[in-house]
Amino acid sequence: MKTLRLSNFGLRGFVGESLTPSVALDYVSAFAAYIERGRVLLGRDPRASSPMLHAAAVAALMSAGCEIEDFGVCPTPILQFYAPRRAAAGAISISGAHHAVGWNTLMLVGPDGGPLDPAVGEQVLDGFHAGAFADCDARFIGMRREVRDYADSYFDTLAQLVDAEAIRAARYRIIADPAGGAGCAFLEPWARRFGVDLITVNGDPTPFPARDPEPRPRTARSIASLMRPLGAAAGFVFSSDMGRVSLVTEKGEPLSEEMTFALIADHILRHRPGPVVTNCCTTRAIDDLAARYGALLIKTPVGQAHVIAALRDEAAILGGEGSGSAALAAFSLGFDGFLVMTLVLESLAQSGATLSERARTLPRYAIVKRSVPCGPGEGYRAIERVRAKIERETSDRWDETDGLRVDDEDGWVHVRASRTEPRVRVISEAHDRGVAEERAERWIHWMEIDS
Amino acid sequence: MKEPLKVGVAGVRGVVGASMTPRVAASFAQAFGVFLGRGAVVVGRDTRPSGVMFERAVVAGLQSVGARPLMVGVAPTPSLLMAVPTAGARGGIAITASHNGAEWNAMKFIDRDGLFLSPARADELLDLYHQRDFPLVAEPDLQPERPMEGVVEKHLTRVLNYVDAAAIRRRRFRVAVDACNGAGAPWIEVFLRDGLGCETVVIHGEPTGIFEREPEPLPAHLTALGRAVVEHRCNIGFAQDPDADRLAIVDECGRPIGEDYTLVFAVAQVLSAHSLGPVVVNLTASRAVDEIARAAGCPCIRTRVGEIHVSAAMVHHGAVVGGEHNGGVIVPAIHPCRDSFTGMALVLERMAATEKRVSEMRAEIPGYHVAKIKIPMALSETVAALRRLRKRYVDRHPILLDGIFLDLGESWVHIRRSMTEPVLRITAEALTPEEAEALVERFRTEIMVGPQPNGNV
């Protein structure tokens, strides 16, 4: 049984097992009871199960008397962008995001476009468990209105945020791979707005992701081989929801997804060294960059919800994660692949450098990510066993923001239990790949997971 | 619970937001999808605003168990019944509370033959619903919803092909219609004007589902239609219910003739102009039907009240016409379901054939006047009340097919519990309206207070 992950900010599960229309109805009903007949934006990706979950969400929202603005197939960041601008009480994005076939997520968004405030999320979760719904009688059933042609205004705002003229003048050719996801129909208008010569791979919406939807160097291979032959300046590999991006250089070199946020942080902080937020297992390059520009660095548990909460509450200017995502507080409280793509091109245009040259100026580490299957609930015990093995004298270098991380001068190792699957995730970073791998293996050995 | 969820042979029905919620609808759709096995399921609805919501819940429920929803949108219930065999679908769901008020909604389940589920099949569905263990399909096996076009047009074409449309057209009738803001509204003009050459005056013709009149087509609710008939000097007035399966008639003077007599006209017309054969009606239908059938030399078979009982018996007996007392006309050659469009076409055809006014046609069936009331009563109480009556009148040879039916010579009374509401229904037919009223009142008192000293019938 693939588990259901219910949290303050969303519902994630495996279709046909844990994620059923009944669970979706109950969860959205609990959210709608909190919204109290307000306006809710609704969007989805083209995954096969998204129309079913969309139908359940519409029914639950109508029953609670909410006013639905239906954005149809819409990237999550665009929905988040519009939540405050259309005076919505909240939004729901239905997307498989970076997950494999079978998984889907209902992500709850607050009125500011960020993930739901944790206290509000707790109230929603309480309502879900108690079955405390607010079904209206027939007179107050909510209405659904389809919203179309909203992309232009979004790209207008994005164009005002950056040096659009510089990007346009550079006349870049790029390759983008939206994985057949929610972003497909929006890439062409984006390219027109910024004068970019766009080549898409996996550019038609598909009910099943056209490739592994998690942006990683290995998923970037499809476009890596095209970069040189087509003379493209940059390659962008997106998740289905357009929240995450990994980059490919003009030479066809896939960059680690950790480099995405590092490049954005370098580009933003060099002009405006404000507070920056990232999670506790993102590359140390971010620490180095924050130090280089004298910016305050805030670390949070893993996940967009935590990073955005800190971005909002600590009045930071930039937030992002090593999974290849970034948000600019001045633009929107959502991890936004279009924003990342635009900022990368702005950075290239302003510096006059190529992407591989820009990447070389960044602090670079070897990072190793491992995912170890374990029995349900065993993950937390496995982490306990690691804790017991590590020498006591290192405890002043332990970080327990989310799981366990231990730093030394050469690098760090981080372990945490996945919230969506019975797995333990281990990340190890060092200057030398061999060292990073050796440390990751040692921690996995300490976990004593039978498999 | 104050507002019960009524789950039974007729489907599942409840008050929106109280007992009838998207969660109930999705679960029932899942149970129905499992019951039918994977394949296409026709989904349609009447115009109620809550129907859009239930339609979404039904789609989610059907998809989750691997069914393929065929979406008709707003359509009369008879059109949906016909669409199921036409599409080769495994079944269908009609989202409509029929004649119930706007605060209600319901789901009715259609079998692959285009009839509502039989009582035995409905029981199986209920078992599945209560077991709640729906085998869900994995994401790659989910079936997308698809639109189904032309459903109502095909239905209306069948009706127009059945009757002598040319004869009706020649008369250029002027017809007023009260569409009750329901599922018949979008097609009423197309049918009467384009199909049957009538001049039409339509009231309550916006298909908004916000009912401008009480949705049950009872005489008391048809005053606006009566005024429209008089004002526009129409030959006849027709009143539909929200899902367009029932039909009531107003005569050329604006007087409702009583929804019980729609069926009488239709039976007379089919037997005289189309074909001879068995007639099947429910117990409460006017006895004028028996007389017409007898005169034509055709057997008249009675069933319990409820469309599925009548339809199934019609198929079984090879009936040519029949229906229900409440304005539900059934012609199996078109489809064995209640259909207001069939009713309209047959009545107009009869007017054209006989060259009589509606009031004259009504006067030809003298000595039949119906009175009816309903008494709010819990289900358990109705059972006890009916048991007492059955005992008390055992020597009068009551028919016990559905509640109790007492043949009183020149009159009759039928007392039964509703399948859709917690009420006991009393219907009586007698030589004069006054006698019918008195009979109904007599039995109401008897049920509520006890046997009356001078109350022998």
Side-chain angles (χ1 to χ4, degrees), chain B residues 313-368:
Chain B
M314 294 186 84
V315 173
H316 178 75
H317 293 286
V320 296
V321 65
E324 296 210 275
H325 65 287
N326 52 21
V329 172
I330 305 179
V331 174
I334 296 169
H335 192 79
C337 71
R338 303 188 303 194
D339 178 18
S340 65
F341 291 95
T342 298
M344 284 187 267
L346 283 173
V347 170
L348 291 172
E349 190 187 50
R350 183 147 192 83
M351 289 163 65
T354 60
E355 304 201 336
K356 284 180 176 146
R357 299 170 202 274
V358 177
S359 60
E360 291 166 342
M361 283 163 49
R362 175 70 182 89
E364 283 177 353
I365 36 175
Y368 294 104

Side-chain angles (χ1 to χ4, degrees), chain A residues 120-422:
Chain A
V120 173
E122 211 169 299
Q123 189 181 329
V124 170
L125 211 50
D126 287 348
F128 171 85
H129 290 127
F133 309 135
D135 298 303
C136 293
D137 70 40
R139 291 167 298 167
F140 299 110
I141 297 296
M143 303 283 277
R144 181 177 73 102
R145 197 162 59 79
E146 294 192 355
V147 182
R148 294 291 175 264
D149 304 323
Y150 47 80
D152 282 349
S153 163
Y154 166 77
F155 290 130
D156 285 346
T157 310
L158 183 57
Q160 284 158 18
L161 187 79
V162 298
D163 188 350
E165 272 320 302
I167 298 172
R168 185 174 283 281
R171 306 177 68 82
Y172 288 115
R173 166 176 284 188
I174 68 147
I175 304 181
D177 178 351
C184 292
F186 298 83
L187 284 168
E188 197 55 54
W190 171 86
R192 273 199 305 275
R193 176 58 49 101
F194 292 99
V196 168
D197 177 12
L198 172 76
I199 296 164
T200 51
V201 173
N202 299 319
D204 291 321
T206 51
F208 305 104
R211 57 158 165 79
D212 176 350
E214 188 164 17
R216 289 278 178 96
R218 63 180 146 75
T219 50
R221 277 193 204 117
S222 59
I223 69 171
S225 59
L226 300 174
M227 297 299 295
R228 274 180 191 275
L230 295 176
F236 299 90
V237 177
F238 296 94
S239 54
S240 309
D241 62 346
M242 299 300 282
R244 297 184 177 188
V245 199
S246 74
L247 308 176
V248 182
T249 69
E250 79 287 354
K251 293 177 174 165
E253 176 199 14
L255 298 177
S256 159
E257 68 278 10
E258 297 280 335
M259 299 301 286
T260 305
F261 185 53
L263 199 148
I264 297 297
D266 181 57
H267 178 58
I268 297 293
L269 296 181
R270 72 167 62 221
H271 298 296
R272 215 186 131 202
V276 56
V277 185
T278 193
N279 71 34
C280 59
C281 57
T282 291
T283 175
R284 196 183 265 183
I286 306 299
D287 301 63
D288 299 346
L289 287 166
R292 183 187 295 173
Y293 297 112
L296 175 67
L297 177 63
I298 301 156
K299 296 229 179 169
T300 71
V302 175
Q304 174 172 191
H306 295 290
V307 173
I308 296 291
L311 179 63
R312 179 175 53 201
D313 300 339
E314 311 287 337
I317 60 163
L318 173 70
E321 290 190 289
S323 52
S325 46
L328 262 186
F331 182 61
S332 163
L333 292 177
F335 286 166
D336 189 333
F338 291 104
L339 172 74
V340 168
M341 183 162 57
T342 312
L343 288 175
V344 167
L345 294 189
E346 183 188 51
S347 155
L348 297 185
Q350 288 179 343
S351 65
T354 65
L355 182 52
S356 58
E357 288 164 359
R358 283 290 289 116
R360 265 202 302 280
T361 67
L362 299 172
R364 282 180 99 163
Y365 295 88
I367 192 158
V368 171
K369 299 185 182 183
R370 295 269 190 275
S371 166
V372 186
C374 63
E378 200 191 342
Y380 296 105
R381 287 194 299 278
I383 294 171
E384 272 311 304
R385 289 194 282 268
V386 172
R387 212 184 302 259
K389 293 280 185 191
I390 301 174
E391 293 159 32
R392 279 284 139 208
E393 54 269 29
T394 64
S395 64
D396 60 328
R397 288 182 274 120
W398 291 12
D399 176 357
E400 291 174 290
T401 308
D402 189 2
L404 175 66
R405 168 169 161 158
V406 179
D407 277 68
D408 65 21
E409 276 169 21
D410 184 43
W412 51 274
V413 189
H414 176 255
V415 59
R416 72 183 177 99
S418 164
R419 294 196 187 83
T420 50
E421 292 170 275

